[in-house]
């Protein structure tokens, strides 16, 4: 599972990894968060690799193939590196290009950039799911670590990914309920 976006990628990555650990599933978590992807231990054939990927990392990993790609949102950032907003959007969209027709794209509902990319991805025949804040699991609404609409969208994206790999809502809610947010998050 690869997660990117201007905001929320660390929280969503950590949340997915936490839920998998609570479910006692083999998992390795890293990328832009924690250990570098190339230094992670292989979680095995039935395990899950959960990677937070920045726009920089997406540009430098052309051979990456994902089963699930999550693109949360896109707002102006790193524009000097990417030559403007169009370049930044293109860099973030690479996470969707890493999917084949058997993959799943999970895209946030919030901004015009991701809405456009969701339509383009679905038009390619890739299963495209929209993470809407109102579809967040019930446990997010009760969580002090995941307050706010932005975290509702993060939790909705995480739940969609976790369901896609076979976790049920009971396990997902248990993971969300016990999640402790990363330091220095809004």
């Amino acid at each position: 599972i690869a997660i990117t976006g201007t905001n929320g990628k660390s929280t969503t990555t950590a949340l997915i990894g936490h839920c998998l650990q609570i479910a006692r599933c083999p998992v390795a978590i890293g990328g832009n968060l924690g250990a570098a992807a190339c230094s992670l231990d292989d979680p095995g054939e039935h395990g899950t690799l959960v990677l937070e990927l920045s726009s920089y990392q997406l540009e430098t990993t052309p051979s990456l193939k994902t089963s699930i790609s999550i693109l949360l949102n896109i707002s102006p950032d790193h524009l000097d590196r990417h030559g403007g907003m169009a370049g930044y959007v293109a860099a973030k969209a690479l996470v969707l290009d890493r999917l084949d027709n058997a993959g799943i794209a999970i895209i946030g509902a919030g901004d015009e950039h991701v809405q456009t990319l969701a339509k383009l991805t679905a038009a390619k025949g890739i299963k495209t799911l929209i993470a809407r804040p109102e579809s967040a699991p019930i446990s997010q609404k009760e969580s002090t670590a995941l307050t706010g609409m932005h975290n509702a969208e993060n939790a909705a994206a995480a739940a969609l990914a976790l369901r896609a790999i076979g976790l049920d809502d009971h396990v997902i809610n248990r993971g969300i309920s016990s999640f402790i947010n990363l330091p220095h998050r809004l």
Side-chain angles (χ1 to χ4, degrees), residues 143-186:
S143 169
T144 57
L146 295 169
T147 59
M149 292 300 284
H150 62 292
N151 276 322
E153 189 169 270
N154 295 339
L160 288 169
L162 292 164
R163 285 183 198 118
I165 60 174
L167 270 64
D168 65 33
D169 285 343
H170 174 73
V171 173
I172 294 168
N173 279 310
R174 200 173 77 213
I176 290 172
S177 294
S178 63
F179 181 70
I180 297 171
N181 206 352
L182 300 170
H184 312 294
R185 303 297 167 198
L186 296 174

Side-chain angles (χ1 to χ4, degrees), residues 98-111:
R98 303 301 194 246
L99 292 164
D100 61 23
N101 285 348
I104 298 172
I106 299 171
I107 301 177
D111 63 78

Side-chain angles (χ1 to χ4, degrees), residues 73-150:
N73 50 60
I74 302 175
S75 58
D77 202 9
H78 308 298
L79 300 185
D80 54 334
R81 174 179 168 88
H82 298 293
M85 194 63 187
Y88 182 57
V89 171
K92 288 295 190 183
L94 289 171
V95 77
L96 303 173
D97 294 339
R98 303 301 194 246
L99 292 164
D100 61 23
N101 285 348
I104 298 172
I106 299 171
I107 301 177
D111 63 78
E112 66 182 75
H113 303 293
V114 292
Q115 291 170 5
T116 299
L117 290 169
K119 290 175 189 167
L120 293 171
T121 303
K124 291 179 185 176
I126 295 171
K127 183 176 182 176
T128 304
L129 306 173
I130 305 301
R132 300 183 192 290
E134 61 271 13
S135 64
I138 190 71
S139 54
Q140 179 274 327
K141 294 163 183 57
E142 300 164 356
S143 169
T144 57
L146 295 169
T147 59
M149 292 300 284
H150 62 292

